[in-house]
Amino acid sequence: MAGSHLFRMGKVNGKNGILYALRHNKRALQAERGAGANIHACRTPLNYSLTFSDTAEQIDRRAKVLLVEAGIDKLRTNQVMAIEVIFSLPIDRHQQDTRPFFKHCFEWVQKQVAGVLISFDVHLDESAPHAHALMLPLVNGKMQGNKIMGGIGNLNRLRNLFYAEVAQNYGLSRNEIKQISGNDKIMLERKVLSQL
């Protein structure tokens, strides 16, 4: 059963950025579980972690201890506090055993993304099964978030590597979304407005 996968990397910034990301990943934010939310509360017990089953606060504290142990006591205000990598399966994969795929993602992110993996949480309570890997960008005693993220070239390199080493082994295809150029957007907008 073919389908496209999603691979996304992003920066977590701010003094409490890691804690907020962890609270989302551990489903500790009550506001996300209310009416109109994307999270199906009846399926939340199906979520699992491939790292610690600790609370968001415990993992955040562990990350802060790692920084102190590395001699980092003061961070810049615009410091990249963590790198979040999201792996997603197509929405039709809920009936399948997702553990082999996400275990492979877990192993891949530890091998390919520098830093300390502080959490890896799999969510089965939204429309598509997906996982959040949260990496503390601590390398050789320094926070190196911007270097780890790199530019678009590095992101494309990691996407291609992930597809070759993981995604294609599970019958997944690339999610090739073509972006519309600025000129095409203007022409499309004019066509829509003329029709209206």
Side-chain angles (χ1 to χ4, degrees):
M1 185 181 313
S4 64
H5 70 283
L6 178 125
F7 171 87
R8 181 175 292 152
M9 281 180 68
K11 299 175 186 178
V12 175
N13 294 311
K15 181 180 173 185
N16 294 315
I18 291 176
L19 181 59
Y20 186 80
L22 286 166
R23 284 181 176 161
H24 166 76
N25 296 347
K26 297 295 183 184
R27 296 300 193 238
L29 296 172
Q30 185 62 37
E32 292 182 336
R33 296 185 286 172
N38 295 331
I39 298 170
H40 303 283
C42 62
R43 292 194 344 223
T44 298
L46 301 174
N47 295 349
Y48 58 93
S49 177
L50 292 177
T51 52
F52 309 103
S53 59
D54 296 347
T55 67
E57 289 75 16
Q58 290 169 322
I59 297 169
D60 182 57
R61 200 171 311 120
R62 189 176 307 118
K64 288 177 178 164
V65 167
L66 287 171
L67 293 177
V68 170
E69 288 174 350
I72 300 170
D73 56 352
K74 190 169 182 173
L75 296 165
R76 296 185 323 268
T77 55
N78 64 345
Q79 181 71 52
V80 175
M81 297 301 297
I83 304 291
E84 186 166 38
V85 185
I86 299 174
F87 305 96
S88 182
L89 286 166
I91 60 173
D92 64 354
R93 298 286 175 108
H94 275 289
Q95 303 307 317
Q96 298 176 358
D97 181 11
T98 60
R99 281 188 184 266
F101 173 75
F102 289 124
K103 187 171 184 319
H104 202 164
C105 294
F106 172 78
E107 293 163 354
W108 183 88
V109 79
Q110 288 183 297
K111 186 173 81 173
Q112 297 298 339
V113 181
V116 180
L117 181 66
I118 58 173
S119 74
F120 192 99
D121 295 295
V122 178
H123 292 163
L124 302 175
D125 58 358
E126 292 185 61
S127 60
H130 64 281
H132 297 260
L134 207 57
M135 307 288 296
L136 186 66
L138 183 62
V139 179
N140 298 325
K142 296 179 182 175
M143 291 292 275
Q144 299 187 18
N146 284 325
K147 185 175 180 182
I148 292 168
M149 280 295 292
I152 190 70
N154 185 52
L155 185 56
N156 285 335
R157 180 188 68 79
L158 287 171
R159 276 190 192 122
N160 291 335
L161 199 57
F162 177 73
Y163 176 74
E165 294 181 354
V166 180
Q168 72 178 0
N169 296 325
Y170 296 89
L172 298 169
S173 62
R174 292 175 186 263
N175 188 359
E176 300 289 343
I177 298 174
K178 303 285 184 202
Q179 292 195 352
I180 300 174
S181 71
N183 289 338
D184 289 341
K185 285 180 187 178
I186 292 169
M187 297 225 353
L188 186 60
E189 180 182 317
R190 287 181 183 156
K191 285 182 182 180
V192 168
L193 289 175
S194 71
Q195 290 296 319
L196 292 174

